[in-house]
Amino acid sequence: DAGVIQSPRHEVTEMGQEVTLRCKPISGHDYLFWYRQTMMRGLELLIYFNNNVPIDDSGMPEDRFSAKMPNASFSTLKIQPSEPRDSAVYFCASSLVVRVGGYTFGSGTRLTVV
Amino acid sequence: GQQVMQIPQYQHVQEGEDFTTYCNSSTTLSNIQWYKQRPGGHPVFLIQLVKSGEVKKQKRLTFQFGEAKKNSSLHITATQTTDVGTYFCAGPGGAGGTSYGKLTFGQGTILTVHP
């Protein structure tokens, strides 16, 4: 298994531009999570899906953020328009709820908004 | 919402010394998980504890879940430079600490090991 795959690994964009982060979860995992990590706020849950359905998006900072999961093997997190305070590492993770295995995280996307 | 508090925030040790990080919750947890994140890396699942008073070991790492299921600890015996990283605890994020699907992470303890 290739694990959770995120792209791109690094993204540098100008303020106001649209940013799309991508994630391919582990095949067969029922849950997909988007986290954001910063020094100040640690690991914050933005949104999570169960069987492709968004369950809890209360962590999404504001309307500039949106996430989709059109099928079991793909999810996107979009920021439009981006702002410098969005600079962070964004992690996608997946899990199979019936297993005692925890989350499997992707390698993350380091986003820098200048 | 559910929160897990983790202390200390930082720990510097000499190689060979022991290390402990503590995790506390205001509510009873159905389970608690521990993760390790190497510098520049991503969190990696270490273990899950479910039972009251449970103790699990992984080589030099010892994990404990409190009797009241409100606290947990990770102890590393005789640290090595390969132990460097941030250690996170995470508890279920639902009401009453029961929702498996959603995890709330502690702030983490950053461990540095001086050779």
Side-chain angles (χ1 to χ4, degrees):
Chain A
D1 197 326
V4 176
I5 300 173
Q6 289 187 248
S7 65
R9 288 296 307 273
H10 302 273
E11 177 80 32
V12 180
T13 190
E14 292 185 345
M15 182 174 63
Q17 295 297 305
E18 177 179 297
V19 175
T20 299
L21 311 182
R22 297 171 175 80
C23 176
K24 177 179 168 56
I26 291 175
S27 177
H29 278 192
D30 297 330
Y31 284 82
L32 183 139
F33 309 85
W34 283 100
Y35 278 85
R36 178 172 68 176
Q37 187 176 40
T38 61
M39 286 296 295
M40 290 298 294
R41 301 176 68 89
L43 272 167
E44 299 177 276
L45 177 65
L46 301 177
I47 185 171
Y48 78 99
F49 297 83
N50 179 213
N51 293 322
N52 313 338
V53 176
I55 302 301
D56 185 346
D57 66 353
S58 60
M60 296 286 261
E62 47 197 274
D63 292 345
R64 297 185 297 107
F65 286 69
S66 62
K68 294 182 179 179
M69 192 165 185
N71 56 63
S73 59
F74 184 65
S75 177
T76 59
L77 177 68
K78 185 177 294 187
I79 308 173
Q80 166 64 17
S82 57
E83 296 183 2
R85 60 190 167 127
D86 301 330
S87 298
V89 180
Y90 290 80
F91 288 106
C92 174
S94 70
S95 75
L96 180 59
V97 67
V98 295
R99 287 180 53 193
V100 184
Y103 289 7
T104 301
F105 280 80
S107 297
T109 295
R110 181 174 295 277
L111 174 65
T112 303
V113 183
V114 297
Chain B
Q2 174 63 38
Q3 285 193 336
V4 286
M5 306 301 293
Q6 201 171 343
I7 56 170
Q9 188 174 0
Y10 302 95
Q11 187 74 57
H12 311 284
V13 299
Q14 288 292 130
E15 190 172 20
E17 292 181 339
D18 292 355
F19 159 76
T20 305
T21 175
Y22 300 90
C23 185
N24 295 288
S25 169
S26 57
T27 61
T28 301
L29 302 171
S30 60
N31 68 85
I32 194 158
Q33 299 183 15
W34 285 91
Y35 291 76
K36 176 184 179 180
Q37 184 177 19
R38 294 182 185 275
H42 57 277
V44 174
F45 173 77
L46 294 177
I47 208 162
Q48 176 172 310
L49 304 173
V50 179
K51 299 176 183 177
S52 170
E54 188 170 15
V55 178
K56 287 189 176 180
K57 292 189 175 184
Q58 291 179 350
K59 298 182 180 179
R60 294 177 295 103
L61 277 61
T62 301
F63 303 85
Q64 292 188 329
F65 202 9
E67 293 290 339
K69 300 182 76 173
K70 288 185 175 182
N71 57 76
S72 181
S73 65
L74 159 59
H75 179 82
I76 302 178
T77 303
T79 55
Q80 300 175 359
T81 55
T82 54
D83 296 325
V84 164
T86 303
Y87 292 85
F88 294 97
C89 62
T98 59
S99 171
Y100 178 90
K102 173 180 173 180
L103 281 180
T104 299
F105 283 78
Q107 285 296 93
T109 295
I110 300 173
L111 173 65
T112 56
V113 180
H114 300 285

